[in-house]
Amino acid sequence: MRQARFFRRIIIVIITFSGLILPAVSVRGAASAAAILGAAPSVSVRGGFPASAAAILGAAPSVSVRGGFPASAASVGASRPLPYSRNGAPARYSRKLALSAKNFADTIEIEWERGQVYVPVEMGGRHYRFLFDTGAAQSVVYADTPIEGSKAAGYIRSHDAVGTVNQVPMVILPPMTLGHITIRGCQATVQQRPVQQRPVQQRPVQQRPKGWQADGILGFNIINSGLLAKIDVRQRLLILTDRKKFFNHEQGFDTRYMLKFFVPYLEASPFGNYREPVLFDTGSRRLYAMNRQSFDACAAMAGSAIDSQVEGRSMGRHAIGHFGVEPLSEVVFLHLSRFRVCSVDFCNLHTLTTQGESHVGAAILEYGAMIINPRKKRMRFQPFANIPVSVDNEQLDIAFVADHGMPCVGLVWEQGEPYRRGFRQGDIIVAIDGNEVSSFSQFVAWPFIIGHEHRFTVRGSDGRLHDIHWIRL
C-alpha cells in the first residue's frame, strides 16, 4: 500500500515538473488593423496574481484609436506556441543568446512612431525595422518577408489570441546586429500577417512610410537572455547592457515583475483595493486594457461602487488573432478615476474590457522611461513630469475587423460620434467616396485624409445599402 502511494506521488511529481519545464510561450505578431486587442481565456486571480501559470495565456495587445482607425500598424493578439508539434521536429524555447561583446553598454537610436517602439536591425548586410515588443516571448518574422540565412528549427503548435490552434515553423535567425552588438542564436517564429500588405522591405526606401509596417518583432527573449534595458522614447533611445549595476544610480519607482510564459507581469490596481496581474506589453499602444473576467471579479468585490467607473456597454468584437477574429461578446467601456501601476497613479483614464489579458502598453512610455532588470526581476519607472499623471485620453469609439475578408464594424460605442453618424455593429464597408472596397487589407491601406469628411457606403444587417458621412479624426 505504501509502495503504491509512493509511485502515485512520483507520477504527480513528474506531471508537475512537466508543466514547469515545458510551459507555453507568448508570441505576438504585428499588422495594420483597427482597434485590435488580444483575446485569452479567463484569468483566476488570487491576491493580485494568477493562481497558476496556466491561468495566463498569450499577450493581449491594444490599439489606441481615435476616430476608429489605428494611428499605425497595430499589434495583433498573442499567439501561444506550445513546445511540441504533432508533425515535424519539436521546437523548444531557449533563452541562450551569444553576444559579440562582454561588459558593454550600448545606446541604440529608436523610432517612436504612433505609439510604438521600432528598432533598427541588420542581418546579412540588409537593414530591417523591428517592433520592440515586451509582450512577445520570442522574436517574430513574417512568411512574406523571409530573412535570408535563417535556419529551420522545427515546428510548434500555436494558440492565437482568440484560441485558434495552428502549427507554425520556428527558425534561428542569422547573426543580428543591434547597435554595436551582434547577437547569435535568436529564435523566431514564422507567422502570416493577419492583414496582407506590400511589405516595407519590398518598397523603395523613399516610399517606406514611418510607422506603417514592421519587418518583424524583437521579443522579450532579448531581455530574458540577461541584458538590462532602458527605454526612453523622449530621447528616442534604447540602452542595452550586460552590466548588472549599470542603472543602480538612476532614480525612479521600482516594482517587481514575474515571468509567465517568458513574458513580464506587473501588479496593478484599477479600482479601490482590487489588484490584478497585468502584462507589460510594448506591442500594445493602449496604456491599459482590462480583462473582462478580471473586471467581473473587481465588480463583485466593489459592488455598486464600480458603476461610477462604467460609461457604457456594447456587444462587439475587436480582437484579431493570427488565425481568426474573436467571437461576439459584451464589451464594457470604462472611465477610471485612478489606475495604479509601478507605484504611480494614472488619473482620468478611458479604456475598455477585452477577452484578452489585462495589460499595460507602450502608452506608459509617453509619461516616463522604463528600466528593465531581468537579473532581479524588477522594473523602474522614471516619470517625465510630476505625479500623479493626468491621462485625459479619449474613449475608443469604433473598431473594425475582417468578416469574410471584408471590413466590418466590430465594435461601436453608443455614446461616440460614429454611432451618432449611423455606424452599427456588423455593418460591412463596401465603398468609400464612391470607390469600391474589395477587402479588409484594402480598407486598412486606404489613403484617408485626417480632418476630411469621407462618405462610407455600408451594408447593414438588413442587407440594405446606405451612406454615412464621417470625418476621419
Side-chain angles (χ1 to χ4, degrees):
M1 193 67 171
R2 291 181 180 178
Q3 189 176 17
R5 285 198 297 266
F6 174 77
F7 282 112
R8 281 199 297 270
R9 289 173 184 171
I10 290 178
I11 293 170
I12 292 170
V13 169
I14 291 173
I15 293 171
T16 303
F17 274 97
S18 297
L20 292 175
I21 294 171
L22 300 174
V25 180
S26 171
V27 178
R28 303 198 299 86
S32 296
I36 302 172
L37 293 174
S42 62
V43 177
S44 175
V45 178
R46 294 181 183 176
F49 283 94
S52 68
I56 299 289
L57 294 184
S62 66
V63 176
S64 179
V65 176
R66 299 183 63 181
F69 293 89
S72 71
S75 292
V76 168
S79 62
R80 190 169 64 95
L82 302 176
Y84 288 112
S85 62
R86 291 182 177 177
N87 301 304
R92 297 177 182 272
Y93 180 86
S94 174
R95 303 187 190 193
K96 295 182 180 180
L97 297 176
L99 305 177
S100 62
K102 292 183 178 181
N103 192 28
F104 70 90
D106 197 10
T107 300
I108 303 164
E109 185 176 348
I110 61 175
E111 294 178 66
W112 174 244
E113 291 292 339
R114 307 188 209 180
Q116 290 188 307
V117 175
Y118 293 91
V119 181
V121 172
E122 182 181 342
M123 287 180 282
R126 297 193 65 180
H127 296 275
Y128 299 91
R129 186 173 187 258
F130 273 40
L131 172 71
F132 184 56
D133 184 356
T134 58
Q138 292 171 303
S139 297
V140 174
V141 293
Y142 297 110
D144 59 359
T145 54
I147 305 296
E148 186 176 350
S150 297
K151 296 181 180 179
Y155 287 82
I156 51 177
R157 290 175 59 235
S158 177
H159 287 264
D160 76 356
V162 296
T164 307
V165 180
N166 203 349
Q167 183 172 270
V168 297
M170 181 185 289
V171 298
I172 305 298
L173 296 177
M176 175 173 60
T177 300
L178 190 60
H180 296 93
I181 302 300
T182 298
I183 301 172
R184 291 177 171 81
C186 184
Q187 292 179 329
T189 58
V190 182
Q191 303 280 359
Q192 298 290 334
R193 296 182 192 270
V195 181
Q196 294 296 328
Q197 299 172 358
R198 188 182 179 191
V200 171
Q201 277 296 324
Q202 295 179 11
R203 305 177 189 176
V205 174
Q206 64 273 19
Q207 294 182 13
R208 296 178 188 172
K210 289 186 177 181
W212 180 247
Q213 178 127 316
D215 300 304
I217 289 176
L218 202 61
F220 203 68
N221 54 331
I222 300 297
I223 307 300
N224 281 337
S225 69
L227 294 181
L228 283 70
K230 178 178 180 178
I231 312 169
D232 188 337
V233 302
R234 177 172 287 188
Q235 300 296 324
R236 301 295 195 271
L237 297 176
L238 170 66
I239 301 175
L240 294 177
T241 181
D242 63 349
R243 300 172 188 169
K244 61 183 180 180
K245 297 182 180 180
F246 187 79
F247 296 114
N248 281 7
H249 67 285
E250 298 199 23
Q251 302 297 311
F253 295 88
D254 276 19
T255 188
R256 176 177 68 91
Y257 74 83
M258 63 177 183
L259 288 177
K260 294 294 183 182
F261 302 113
F262 307 106
V263 288
Y265 288 81
L266 309 170
E267 186 177 80
S269 174
F271 181 72
N273 294 323
Y274 183 77
R275 298 180 302 161
E276 63 165 351
V278 295
L279 175 67
F280 177 56
D281 180 13
T282 58
S284 163
R285 289 183 178 84
R286 185 169 294 278
L287 197 156
Y288 169 66
M290 190 174 192
N291 170 265
R292 176 56 196 267
Q293 287 73 29
S294 183
F295 169 78
D296 291 341
C298 179
M301 176 186 292
S304 60
I306 196 67
D307 294 342
S308 64
Q309 310 294 297
V310 176
E311 56 183 353
R313 298 171 185 257
S314 294
M315 294 297 295
R317 50 182 183 155
H318 49 70
I320 301 177
H322 280 290
F323 316 126
V325 181
E326 71 173 341
L328 196 68
S329 64
E330 184 184 64
V331 176
V332 183
F333 295 86
L334 301 171
H335 184 187
L336 302 179
S337 56
R338 176 201 62 83
F339 170 71
R340 187 174 182 83
V341 68
C342 298
S343 301
V344 174
D345 288 339
F346 294 83
C347 303
N348 193 23
L349 170 63
H350 292 271
T351 186
L352 74 171
T353 61
T354 171
Q355 292 184 39
E357 290 190 90
S358 296
H359 61 276
V360 170
I364 194 174
L365 300 176
E366 296 179 358
Y367 304 101
M370 186 72 82
I371 295 172
I372 308 173
N373 186 339
R375 298 171 185 264
K376 294 185 176 181
K377 298 290 191 301
R378 301 192 74 85
M379 294 190 191
R380 180 173 298 167
F381 183 67
Q382 300 175 306
F384 293 141
N386 295 331
I387 57 174
V389 175
S390 182
V391 180
D392 299 326
N393 63 324
E394 295 185 8
Q395 182 61 272
L396 183 146
D397 51 14
I398 193 169
F400 296 91
V401 299
D403 187 344
H404 296 91
M406 290 294 291
C408 171
V409 177
L411 176 69
V412 59
W413 184 35
E414 293 182 4
Q415 298 182 38
E417 182 64 19
Y419 187 88
R420 287 191 287 269
R421 291 281 182 144
F423 285 105
R424 296 294 182 267
Q425 196 282 324
D427 284 351
I428 303 295
I429 312 299
V430 298
I432 300 174
D433 297 329
N435 300 302
E436 181 183 3
V437 177
S438 58
S439 69
F440 184 63
S441 298
Q442 181 189 11
F443 173 74
V444 170
W446 201 271
F448 292 102
I449 302 173
I450 296 177
H452 175 75
E453 184 176 272
H454 293 276
R455 176 167 55 90
F456 293 79
T457 303
V458 304
R459 180 183 296 112
S461 58
D462 58 2
R464 297 180 180 180
L465 297 178
H466 61 279
D467 289 340
I468 299 173
H469 294 265
W470 182 41
I471 296 176
R472 164 74 161 95
L473 299 179

